[in-house]
Amino acid sequence: MALVLAFTASHPQSAHAGRITPPPVPTDIQVPAGNTAFLEGHAVGTQNYVCLPCPNPITPTAVCPASGFAFTLFTPQATLSADNNRQIITHFFSPNPSEKGTIRAAWQDSRDTSTVWGGRATASSDPDFVAQDAIPWLLLPVAGTKKGPTGGRSLTAVTFIQRLNTSGGAAPSTGCDALTDVGTRAFVPYTADYFFYKKTPRGYPGYGYD
């Protein structure tokens, strides 16, 4: 429950290196120098929560409500599309083979099924950037990658992932207040832009500064 590289010519133009310009972000979720955004996907989906006693492995005591129960994220479920509305990636939670099956946020290429897993996220709800009542913006280092069954590698060069420009997705504020609510699920619509980074190629601006 704890909490994409060379693309083929058939991928959308926005996937090519040098054409992706992420927006400004809070300092604490900036990607380290030496990494370049090469792919952007606009996500539409849901953040899926389940009501559980609190604290639990996901929700620490410090953020538990007085009721002793809280909605806890059990998986996101989203489709990422390019500027031409073509689906490029599916987003969900799954076991990361690089960490002996630890459940992590995962992104799977819709064409070659290569997959990348995000590691421990750094989150920001800075009101100068993040909309009110929206889920936080995130920076995630890569925790693992896997080629597709036929050797697809489109996501295996990813080094960092950012979740930005979020809307919606926050856990409900009611409906998880008593023992009788335990197990109740809430599927909350959200949108976000995901930016995928790889090591800056030799000869590109920013190379060698990490």
Side-chain angles (χ1 to χ4, degrees):
M1 288 177 51
L3 275 154
V4 223
L5 204 176
F7 266 62
T8 66
S10 63
H11 276 268
Q13 290 296 310
S14 62
H16 288 266
R19 301 191 182 187
I20 305 298
T21 305
V25 301
T27 302
D28 53 349
I29 61 167
Q30 291 179 352
V31 173
N35 296 276
T36 300
F38 73 99
L39 179 62
E40 174 185 0
H42 179 67
V44 177
T46 58
Q47 296 280 310
N48 304 331
Y49 299 90
V50 60
C51 180
L52 295 174
C54 187
N56 56 58
I58 308 302
T59 310
T61 301
V63 297
C64 284
S67 67
F69 302 91
F71 275 112
T72 299
L73 183 72
F74 69 89
T75 191
Q77 185 174 350
T79 298
L80 279 62
S81 301
D83 290 340
N84 59 3
N85 293 321
R86 178 178 179 178
Q87 178 178 330
I88 57 172
I89 294 171
T90 302
H91 177 40
F92 48 89
F93 276 175
S94 75
N96 177 16
S98 298
E99 297 181 300
K100 299 181 179 180
T102 298
I103 302 300
R104 295 287 193 185
W107 292 262
Q108 185 176 70
D109 185 89
S110 300
R111 184 175 183 274
D112 68 16
T113 66
S114 59
T115 305
V116 58
W117 285 267
R120 185 180 296 274
T122 300
S124 177
S125 293
D126 186 329
D128 289 336
F129 296 88
V130 185
Q132 187 176 8
D133 299 326
I135 51 176
W137 291 14
L138 300 178
L139 172 65
L140 302 95
V142 166
T145 63
K146 183 179 179 181
K147 291 188 284 188
T150 60
R153 308 170 62 94
S154 58
L155 297 186
T156 59
V158 175
T159 53
F160 290 90
I161 302 163
Q162 285 176 323
R163 183 180 75 187
L164 309 176
N165 300 331
T166 55
S167 175
S173 58
T174 60
C176 183
D177 306 296
L179 186 60
T180 53
D181 296 324
V182 170
T184 298
R185 297 189 178 194
F187 299 82
V188 185
Y190 89 107
T191 64
D193 292 328
Y194 288 89
F195 292 85
F196 300 84
Y197 292 76
K198 64 180 179 180
K199 285 292 184 182
T200 304
R202 184 183 296 272
Y204 274 68
Y207 172 79
Y209 288 92
D210 52 332

